[in-house]
């Protein structure tokens, strides 16, 4: 079967972000960018399913400007077979992304779409669920285990109280949680090979999707700073402060 | 402004988050309706009817909603969406699962994990792991919103709303519940606890988490963990506090053997008082801690327990 893996170019997770002085957005000038960590887990899972003989093709898609080809190449170096860049200069909202992905799903007819559960920039946690809704597919979100069997997939999901397992009829959408797997590192030969793998560029306009913006960002500000605290000398002083100064224990 | 709020429950009890989500909803408009969906959930409806500010409780009691599968729940909400200006749920794993599905089916955006309500169409939410705060305005006719419960106070239980049955059954053929394994605990729920004590990589192994238990019992606290502790297999992953785990804002948060990575801070830096116990005095956690104790946790924890 064919697996489609949407990936997103985001700021590297170790970077401490700065808000622009005009409060319009976060300043990404010269920031180190990378593949969103949850997307990397999605690629790894798809590649593992291929190695197990469950999947025969892994297609990676990213939506954005030319720079997101870097992240598609990263995914190809991790073992995906070919890439699609849906080219757009605009920063899109989850619903618009999901609509474009629904078109890619229509063209490619994958049996499974694996996405990250959220991107670490917008922290929305929406796209996979929206894609499932638009394509009429069932969804297995926050997956920590995926088991494909006979036209169905069993997904163990991380829920607030523990774990839940659901069974979905393929084609289905799965979103990855951190504990699904540990992504491999791309080896140098694989990075070289990835350069020769096919990567199609398709303008977003060609999909005939109305990309109307629903949400306006009025401002972006830094979070309130915490006052620097004090260091206590020992446990006695800590207990005394918590009781009498902070009054949070009795 | 009529607002439909999804009530979260475990069939026996209404989740404490719901009272906080109702608080957020009352800031969006006056006519707040609570939807209780589930199997054998009449007693939940009675608990929900007591929440102040709730005008009506709607009960969809059917096996189809027994495990809150996203497909069935989303279809139910979409069917009920007519007449509501807002559809609201907690940003729990349940709400996060079905709400974007509702939004897409209604062809509207979703505003995730709000921490403030500016007006009926303008909301405040954290982005970049809480390192920036965005104020966003939606132009959609129906606003689909998930709420970070930790950012709102609970409404009290002085209400007495009418309870009405909803006769809508939606069942997807393509998704079914198989099994569930829930972590058993006598302690308060992590996201609702007034005091949280969390362990990180510095705990060294799972057995050492018992050092936190005695303190947690004395303080009536919940026990949390950093991602490092979860990934190392010390504790179950539903205990994880952080950007990808649970977001908590208790009165007191005690971080033990946790360095304070961006992703962990995202989950706890709105706590009222933060205490850090760490032997590395350069650990970033000390920059957000109100009280820092540079000490070996294996000595400090037993001493702390004995002095509480």
């Amino acid at each position: 079967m064919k697996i489609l893996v949407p990936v997103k170019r985001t700021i590297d997770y170790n970077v401490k972000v700065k808000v622009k002085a005009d409060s319009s957005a976060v300043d990404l000038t010269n920031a180190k960018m990378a593949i969103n960590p949850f997307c990397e887990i999605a690629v790894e899972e798809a590649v593992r399913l291929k190695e197990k003989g469950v999947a025969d093709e892994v297609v990676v898609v990213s939506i954005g400007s030319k720079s997101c080809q870097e992240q598609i190449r990263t995914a190809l170096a991790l073992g995906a077979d070919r890439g699609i860049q849906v080219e757009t200069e605009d920063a899109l909202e989850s619903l618009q992304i999901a609509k474009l992905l629904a078109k890619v799903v229509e063209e490619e007819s994958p049996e499974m779409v694996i996405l990250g559960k959220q991107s670490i920039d917008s922290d929305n946690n929406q796209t996979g669920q929206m894609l499932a809704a638009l394509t009429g597919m069932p969804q297995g979100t926050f997956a920590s285990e995926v088991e494909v069997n006979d036209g169905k997939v069993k997904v163990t999901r991380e829920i607030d109280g523990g774990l839940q397992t659901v069974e979905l009829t393929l084609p289905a959408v799965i979103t990855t949680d951190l504990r699904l797997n540990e992504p491999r590192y791309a080896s140098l030969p694989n990075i070289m090979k990835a350069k020769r793998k096919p990567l199609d560029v398709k303008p977003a306009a060609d999909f005939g999707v109305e990309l109307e913006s629903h949400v306006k960002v009025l401002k972006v500000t830094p979070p309130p700073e915490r006052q620097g605290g004090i260091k206590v000398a020992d446990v006695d002083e800590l207990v005394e402060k918590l009781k009498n100064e902070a009054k949070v224990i009795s | 402004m009529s607002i439909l709020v999804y009530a979260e429950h475990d069939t026996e009890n209404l989740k404490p988050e719901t009272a906080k989500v109702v608080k957020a909803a009352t800031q969006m408009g006056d006519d707040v309706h609570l939807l209780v969906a589930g199997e054998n959930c009449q007693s939940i409806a009675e608990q929900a009817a007591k929440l102040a500010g709730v005008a009506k409780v709607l009960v969809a009691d059917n096996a189809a909603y027994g495990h809150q599968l996203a497909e069935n729940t989303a279809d139910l909400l979409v069917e009920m969406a007519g007449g509501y200006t807002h559809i609201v749920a907690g940003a729990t794993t349940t709400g996060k699962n079905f709400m974007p599905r509702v939004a897409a089916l209604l062809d509207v955006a979703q505003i995730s994990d709000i921490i403030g309500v500016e007006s009926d169409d303008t909301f405040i939410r954290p982005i970049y792991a809480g390192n920036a705060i965005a104020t966003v305005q939606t132009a959609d006719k129906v606003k689909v919103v998930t709420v970070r419960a930790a950012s709102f106070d609970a409404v009290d239980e002085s209400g007495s709303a009418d309870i009405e049955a909803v006769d809508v059954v939606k069942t997807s053929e393509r998704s079914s519940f198989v099994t569930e394994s829930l972590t058993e605990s006598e302690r308060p729920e992590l996201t609702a606890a007034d005091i949280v004590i969390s362990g990180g990589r510095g705990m060294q192994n799972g057995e050492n988490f018992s050092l936190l238990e005695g303190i947690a019992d004395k303080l009536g606290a919940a026990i949390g963990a950093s991602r490092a502790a979860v990934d190392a297999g010390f504790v179950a992953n539903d205990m994880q506090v952080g950007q990808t785990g649970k977001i908590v804002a208790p009165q007191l948060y005690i971080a033990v053997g946790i360095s304070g990575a961006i992703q962990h801070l995202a989950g706890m830096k709105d706590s009222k008082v933060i205490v850090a116990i760490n032997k590395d005095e350069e650990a970033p956690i000390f920059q957000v801690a109100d009280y820092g104790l540079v000490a070996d946790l294996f000595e400090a924890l037993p001493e702390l327990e004995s002095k509480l």
Side-chain angles (χ1 to χ4, degrees), chain A residues 72-130:
Chain A
I72 296 176
R73 292 286 174 204
T74 305
L76 295 175
L78 294 173
D81 297 294
R82 63 185 168 88
I84 302 168
Q85 180 210 351
V86 178
E87 186 152 43
T88 164
E89 289 304 321
D90 307 322
L92 299 179
E93 297 163 8
S94 314
L95 183 62
Q96 300 163 327
I97 298 279
K99 284 182 178 177
L100 286 170
L101 290 176
K103 291 287 178 188
V104 176
V105 166
E106 206 174 282
E107 273 182 12
E108 295 282 340
S109 340
E111 276 80 36
M112 200 187 281
V113 186
I114 311 182
L115 308 86
K117 79 165 178 179
Q118 76 191 65
S119 65
I120 59 160
D121 48 7
S122 58
D123 279 334
N124 274 322
N125 196 328
Q126 299 174 354
T127 305
Q129 296 90 317
M130 288 180 161

Side-chain angles (χ1 to χ4, degrees), chain B residues 9-13 39-41 43-44 66:
Chain B
H9 63 87
D10 62 3
T11 314
E12 271 153 31
N13 287 299
E39 190 176 11
N40 300 326
C41 54
S43 71
I44 304 295

